[in-house]
Amino acid sequence: MKTLQHLLDKNLEWAEAITREDPQFFSQLSRQQAPEYLWIGCSDSRVPANQIIDLKPGEVFVHRNIANVVVHTDLNCLSVIQFAVEVLKVKHIIVCGHYGCGGVKAAMENQEHGLIDNWLRHIKDVSRLHRDHLQKLDQNQHLDALCELNVIEQVRNVCGTTVVRNAWKRGNELHVHGWIYNIENGIIKDLDAGISSNRQLQEQH
């Protein structure tokens, strides 16, 4: 089997550089995990959570999937949210999409892509909910708008989980944010879709 020695070498260089800068970094990191943020983002390799918000290892808990979708039957995502909220006690959940998302683009196409079509149904549902608005746009505007609307819908889905609703019932401080990242310039935009309580969720619905 062909090994990936060049990646192992890069890992060694990285670990040595971190240790030179802060000799206690890894020993302290190994003793606890106490991030304030849960990041729910896209699996796209161009959108690495820690790097684009300039946070070190240990400062953000991360879940990623195709097109940053939150589905109420996805036990993987729900387990991440539960662990983040109930064990790590995060104060912020960030749903971050990105412009030009391949998953969103595929959901707009009238062709089969295989197994992933089952996952993309969730984005097609978002498109259907906003059909009147989206039909007025050209193709590029349509893609950008659907990327944004998908984030906003997933924020609502996060807030609709029993984990988040129960945290608010207990009086926990917990804020859910909707962001979108522009790969062309590296800038994140806040979509002003944040929700911080059950009352606010009900008002938005």
Side-chain angles (χ1 to χ4, degrees), residues 176-195:
V176 185
H177 310 264
W179 291 357
I180 193 157
Y181 176 68
N182 191 330
I183 294 174
E184 294 183 358
N185 61 21
I187 304 298
I188 293 171
K189 174 184 176 182
D190 188 337
L191 294 175
D192 195 25
I195 300 175

Side-chain angles (χ1 to χ4, degrees), residues 8-179:
L8 298 175
D9 293 340
K10 289 175 75 68
N11 165 253
L12 183 60
E13 292 172 7
W14 171 77
E16 290 175 344
I18 293 290
T19 302
R20 282 195 300 270
E21 183 178 326
D22 181 1
Q24 303 302 316
F25 178 81
F26 288 110
S27 61
Q28 292 175 350
L29 186 66
S30 65
R31 287 195 292 270
Q32 66 174 357
Q33 176 180 215
E36 286 192 26
Y37 314 99
L38 166 60
W39 175 281
I40 300 176
C42 183
S43 298
D44 193 302
S45 61
R46 301 167 294 175
V47 193
N50 284 69
Q51 284 180 272
I52 66 175
I53 50 176
D54 196 24
L55 290 181
K56 295 179 181 178
E59 295 186 350
V60 56
F61 196 57
V62 178
H63 174 79
R64 295 168 71 180
N65 62 49
I66 300 297
N68 44 271
V69 173
V70 177
V71 183
H72 293 170
T73 54
D74 180 0
L75 294 181
N76 182 6
C77 183
L78 295 179
S79 297
V80 169
I81 294 172
Q82 180 179 24
F83 187 81
V85 171
E86 297 183 1
V87 179
L88 298 178
K89 310 295 185 184
V90 299
K91 298 290 193 300
H92 302 272
I93 299 175
I94 300 162
V95 179
C96 187
H98 65 96
Y99 292 118
C101 179
V104 174
K105 186 177 181 180
M108 291 170 54
E109 297 171 349
N110 292 317
Q111 62 184 63
E112 292 186 5
H113 300 88
L115 178 65
I116 195 173
D117 288 332
N118 298 280
W119 187 254
L120 299 180
R121 284 290 340 156
H122 303 293
I123 303 170
K124 287 182 180 291
D125 287 341
V126 177
S127 180
R128 177 177 49 79
L129 288 170
H130 300 277
R131 181 184 293 115
D132 291 344
H133 170 64
L134 294 171
Q135 285 179 339
K136 301 173 184 176
L137 307 176
D138 65 33
Q139 189 170 5
N140 290 333
Q141 292 173 328
H142 187 147
L143 176 57
D144 286 349
L146 187 53
C147 288
E148 292 181 351
L149 290 167
N150 182 52
V151 169
I152 294 168
E153 194 67 26
Q154 305 318 316
V155 165
R156 292 172 179 165
N157 286 346
V158 169
C159 296
T161 63
T162 54
V163 173
V164 171
R165 287 190 286 110
N166 287 338
W168 284 330
K169 284 181 183 177
R170 293 192 299 269
N172 294 9
E173 179 187 356
L174 183 61
H175 310 280
V176 185
H177 310 264
W179 291 357

